[in-house]
Amino acid sequence: MINIGTVMEIYENEVLVMTSDVELIYLKKSPKMFLGQQVCFSESDIVKPGVRKLKYVLASGIAAIFMVALIAVHLIQNISISPQNISYAFIDMDINPSIGFFIDDKNIVQEVSPLNSDAENLTKDLSLEHLHVTEAVKQVIDKSKETGILNENENSVIMISGSLNPENSDYNVKKDNLELKLNQLLTSLADIDNTLADKSYTIKIVQVEPEMKKQAMENGLSSGRQLILEKAQSEGIDLTLEDAKSDSISFLIRKVGLDEQPTDK
């Protein structure tokens, strides 16, 4: 299960979050975080015990009870509209920056999740939320060309991976319809490749199961990079988790032979 919490305090490099289980934990700080924000996070985002001491201590038992009650009400009021519940699917995009999009049933981006520091730098000046995900992907491509991440002298690959969100309220009752919707979206994203004048790069589309996306979040990877890691492991190819995080997506695709396989749409 993907974890959800509410931002209680913001520090220089960390934020204090209260989870839906009323547990106080520290997370690594990301750009644009604000007090009261509902955030989704994986185990890799948590600042482990012993790294630092808790700065925030409730003054008394009465204050603690009041705080818990206040947050409980807040969670009840907002959980139904959090990106985690609204999103029927996740779309991850790897250039070398790795970016995750939470999308609703109209394929509108509800939340943008930079998955590495390159992605944080790339997206900090982009307003991608509330755009159709196809437009968001195009803006990321344009920004990558502008900043030189996509170089016309290199034959680069953009990998786009999609998965359904099992936490969505419609997942169990409308799974077939959601699968069809996601397949249609991935097909439309693949068609971006046919509209590009610059053919120095291609788009690789894959669809993964929710279990693989969950493992990707725990590893701090996009679902595409997780797919590559698991393929390497199953075929005895030498590839570590750190390699999967840091190597270029074009290199990783070639290393495991995905460049020789047809696009999964």
Side-chain angles (χ1 to χ4, degrees):
M1 180 181 293
I2 300 167
N3 302 301
I4 302 174
T6 302
V7 177
M8 302 297 299
E9 294 285 347
I10 298 179
Y11 302 109
E12 183 176 358
N13 299 310
E14 304 152 350
V15 294
L16 179 66
V17 168
M18 178 173 281
T19 69
S20 54
D21 296 325
V22 199
E23 178 185 2
L24 288 171
I25 60 173
Y26 278 99
L27 301 181
K28 299 170 186 174
K29 183 180 176 182
S30 297
K32 301 181 181 178
M33 279 186 167
F34 56 87
L35 289 176
Q37 181 184 14
Q38 293 276 304
V39 294
C40 300
F41 62 93
S42 63
E43 292 297 321
S44 62
D45 297 314
I46 298 174
V47 177
K48 302 300 182 182
V51 175
R52 55 158 302 169
K53 294 183 178 179
L54 203 65
K55 288 183 177 178
Y56 182 77
V57 179
L58 296 175
S60 68
I62 295 176
I65 293 171
F66 178 77
M67 174 70 76
V68 169
L70 183 63
I71 296 303
V73 170
H74 178 78
L75 289 174
I76 291 170
Q77 290 176 338
N78 290 281
I79 192 71
S80 62
I81 59 171
S82 70
Q84 175 63 22
N85 288 72
I86 292 174
S87 303
Y88 87 93
F90 306 110
I91 299 295
D92 289 346
M93 181 179 185
D94 291 287
I95 302 177
N96 281 319
S98 294
I99 303 167
F101 300 107
F102 289 18
I103 58 172
D104 67 12
D105 61 0
K106 298 185 185 301
N107 295 324
I108 302 299
V109 176
Q110 296 299 314
E111 184 172 305
V112 179
S113 176
L115 301 176
N116 54 25
S117 58
D118 287 342
E120 290 180 357
N121 292 332
L122 184 70
T123 60
K124 65 183 180 181
D125 296 325
L126 295 176
S127 298
L128 302 175
E129 291 184 0
H130 310 304
L131 295 179
H132 192 282
V133 68
T134 302
E135 178 60 28
V137 167
K138 288 180 179 179
Q139 288 199 20
V140 171
I141 291 174
D142 289 343
K143 188 69 171 180
S144 298
K145 290 192 292 186
E146 178 186 322
T147 57
I149 293 172
L150 284 173
N151 190 322
E152 63 182 12
N153 296 320
E154 299 176 2
N155 186 20
S156 300
V157 178
I158 299 170
M159 190 172 194
I160 297 176
S161 47
S163 62
L164 291 179
N165 174 17
E167 300 302 316
N168 182 270
S169 58
D170 290 335
Y171 179 78
N172 291 322
V173 294
K174 298 181 180 179
K175 184 178 179 182
D176 290 345
N177 290 339
L178 296 178
E179 288 261 11
L180 178 60
K181 183 189 293 287
L182 179 59
N183 287 339
Q184 291 171 339
L185 172 62
L186 292 175
T187 298
S188 70
L189 290 172
D191 287 342
I192 293 175
D193 203 23
N194 300 325
T195 65
L196 298 173
D198 181 357
K199 290 298 180 181
S200 63
Y201 54 90
T202 57
I203 296 177
K204 178 77 175 176
I205 303 288
V206 295
Q207 184 172 346
V208 305
E209 293 298 319
E211 293 78 10
M212 185 175 289
K213 174 60 179 176
K214 177 181 177 182
Q215 188 61 52
M217 294 185 74
E218 292 176 357
N219 286 336
L221 297 173
S222 67
S223 51
R225 288 178 181 268
Q226 181 67 32
L227 174 67
I228 289 170
L229 178 63
E230 292 189 17
K231 188 174 191 298
Q233 292 172 339
S234 67
E235 298 179 5
I237 299 171
D238 183 22
L239 184 71
T240 66
L241 174 59
E242 189 55 40
D243 293 336
K245 288 183 178 181
S246 60
D247 287 347
S248 77
I249 195 67
S250 299
F251 172 79
L252 290 171
I253 286 173
R254 290 193 299 270
K255 184 165 185 173
V256 300
L258 278 178
D259 57 328
E260 301 170 358
Q261 298 180 7
T263 292
D264 177 15
K265 303 189 280 182

